[in-house]
Amino acid sequence: MKSIKQIGRHALVLAAVLTACAVPAWAASAEVTFVAPDGYADIGRSSRDRDEALAGLKAHLEKAAESALPATQKLSIEVLQVNLAGEVEPLFRHRMEEVRVLRQVSWPSMKLHYVLRDEAGTVLKEATTELSEMDYLQRLSGRYSGALQYEKQMIDRWFASEFAADRRSSL
């Protein structure tokens, strides 16, 4: 009869093998690079705001690629320009603060260069594109909230229109 210690070791080995088999060798992913972010039109004023916005955009672009692309593709994105929704304006109360004011004329926009490759490294698509959401105040759906909600919606719309055919053709 096997001891509980031996059974535990066998179960651990089995779990490790099953986990390794479940992870695909290639998963849809995005590599996001910010090119000269100090020259972006509007990414926030403070270094903290800029760092948070860049991290949020990077995370969302990676998540969108994972959701929109087949597991056999990899997307490299260079973010060339960013202009967040709204404009930062002073707010005078007890002390000077700033607040982002959203108006119809201050829509979000981004300029990207991207390269889509298959698992062999063959370039499937490459382009420089400009994203913008001029009617961002009327189009926001309930699934977006919090920081960068308008930019996230714009990114998701772009992924849906730009990569929908790629997703269907790989299924």
Side-chain angles (χ1 to χ4, degrees):
M1 184 167 191
K2 292 185 179 184
S3 71
I4 293 177
K5 195 173 188 180
Q6 288 175 322
I7 293 171
R9 255 188 256 144
H10 290 296
L12 184 61
V13 169
L14 179 61
V17 168
L18 290 175
T19 301
C21 292
V23 176
W26 182 277
S29 64
E31 178 184 303
V32 179
T33 307
F34 294 98
V35 178
D38 290 338
Y40 290 171
D42 177 13
I43 193 71
R45 289 205 182 156
S46 73
S47 60
R48 179 178 176 222
D49 289 346
R50 285 189 297 274
D51 290 346
E52 287 177 1
L54 293 173
L57 290 171
K58 178 179 172 70
H60 194 75
L61 284 163
E62 290 170 346
K63 180 182 173 188
E66 186 178 302
S67 298
L69 298 173
T72 58
Q73 296 180 351
K74 182 174 183 178
L75 184 63
S76 297
I77 300 173
E78 291 180 326
V79 180
L80 305 173
Q81 186 57 261
V82 175
N83 192 356
L84 299 178
E87 294 177 355
V88 177
E89 297 182 6
L91 174 69
F92 298 98
R93 297 243 172 145
H94 302 292
R95 59 188 168 108
M96 189 174 147
E97 296 180 36
E98 293 180 327
V99 63
R100 185 165 290 274
V101 179
L102 303 175
R103 294 188 180 91
Q104 191 61 41
V105 296
S106 57
W107 59 85
S109 63
M110 295 175 72
K111 184 175 182 179
L112 309 173
H113 177 81
Y114 70 91
V115 180
L116 181 65
R117 292 183 171 85
D118 65 12
E119 58 193 321
T122 304
V123 174
L124 303 174
K125 266 187 187 181
E126 181 173 8
T128 299
T129 187
E130 294 193 29
L131 287 59
S132 66
E133 191 92 356
M134 292 177 72
D135 56 350
Y136 75 107
L137 291 173
Q138 286 79 36
R139 295 182 75 171
L140 189 65
S141 76
R143 83 178 242 222
Y144 301 94
S145 63
L148 303 171
Q149 60 186 321
Y150 301 103
E151 293 76 14
K152 290 176 182 178
Q153 175 180 262
M154 177 179 67
I155 289 167
D156 289 349
R157 287 183 194 280
W158 174 68
F159 265 94
S161 67
E162 188 68 21
F163 301 108
D166 299 314
R167 181 76 178 170
R168 285 191 305 270
S169 67
S170 69
L171 296 177

